[in-house]
């Protein structure tokens, strides 16, 4: 597409919207899947570019209880910003910097490959990075403090972070 090569995707809980992170640094929301039954219905789909960053989008994760909040991670070195929250992910008509909150905090400038809200404590965010798993317990802060969680394991790239969300 004109938005670039897709690198990661995340569905909304109701299945109506698909968020796509691209190599060109965009997050695109495609909505209307609940009204799409065949190729003839593709006019029901709407597309909006809701974020544009300086690096490739490497991971996205919707807040488990508030789908307006979309965590976005970016790879690459030197951009200075690798973790943001889009605070109007399902309702924004297009990209606006006012909808985005940077939560880089004291995280060093290295690639972040994936992001995940803790489903049991949404103030906690886990990152898969070039140098292991990092976490904060205060993602709602204006300047969160990040800690490396893989003590004793060394600096091992973590490309994917997932959490069980189904009940036991």
């Amino acid at each position: 597409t004109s938005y670039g090569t897709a690198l990661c995707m995340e569905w909304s809980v109701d299945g109506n919207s698909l968020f796509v992170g691209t190599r060109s640094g965009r997050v695109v929301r495609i909505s209307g899947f609940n009204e799409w039954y065949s190729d003839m219905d593709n006019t029901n789909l709407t597309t909006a570019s809701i974020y544009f960053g300086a690096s490739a989008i490497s991971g996205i994760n919707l807040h488990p209880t508030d789908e307006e909040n979309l965590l976005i991670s970016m790879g690459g070195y030197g951009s200075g910003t690798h973790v943001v929250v889009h605070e109007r992910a399902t309702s924004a008509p297009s990209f606006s910097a006012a909808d985005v909150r940077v939560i880089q905090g004291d995280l060093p400038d290295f690639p972040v490959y994936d992001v995940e809200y803790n489903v049991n404590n949404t103030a906690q965010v886990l990152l898969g990075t070039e140098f292991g798993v990092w976490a904060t317990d205060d993602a709602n802060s204006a300047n969160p403090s990040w800690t490396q969680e893989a003590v004793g394991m060394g600096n091992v790239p973590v490309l994917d972070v997932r959490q069980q969300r189904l009940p036991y």
Side-chain angles (χ1 to χ4, degrees), residues 48-155:
S49 182
I50 61 168
Y51 180 76
F52 188 73
S55 300
I57 305 302
S58 53
I60 49 181
N61 183 244
L62 275 171
H63 191 285
T65 59
D66 181 2
E67 288 192 349
E68 284 288 1
N69 291 307
L70 180 71
L71 274 172
I72 303 168
S73 65
M74 288 156 275
Y77 284 96
S79 72
T81 300
H82 297 280
V83 187
V84 299
V85 177
H86 193 295
E87 297 180 320
R88 290 187 56 219
T90 57
S91 63
S94 61
F95 174 63
S96 169
D99 295 333
V100 177
R101 183 170 49 91
V102 176
I103 60 169
Q104 182 75 19
D106 63 358
L107 187 69
D109 184 12
F110 51 61
V112 176
Y113 299 122
D114 202 15
V115 289
E116 185 82 18
Y117 280 107
N118 180 341
V119 70
N120 298 312
N121 174 8
T122 56
Q124 184 180 55
V125 169
L126 303 171
L127 307 177
T129 77
E130 180 78 3
F131 298 105
V133 175
W134 287 65
T136 184
D137 289 329
D138 194 12
N140 301 322
S141 165
N143 193 26
S145 179
W146 296 92
T147 57
Q148 188 174 25
E149 299 298 314
V151 178
M153 212 175 136
N155 293 327

Side-chain angles (χ1 to χ4, degrees), residues 15-45:
N16 193 50
S17 297
L18 177 65
F19 298 90
V20 181
T22 71
R23 183 177 306 281
S24 64
R26 291 186 187 273
V27 174
V28 178
R29 181 189 63 233
I30 307 167
S31 299
F33 285 100
N34 288 349
E35 301 299 321
W36 188 44
Y37 302 102
S38 72
D39 289 342
M40 304 281 290
D41 297 324
N42 64 2
T43 57
N44 294 332
L45 298 179

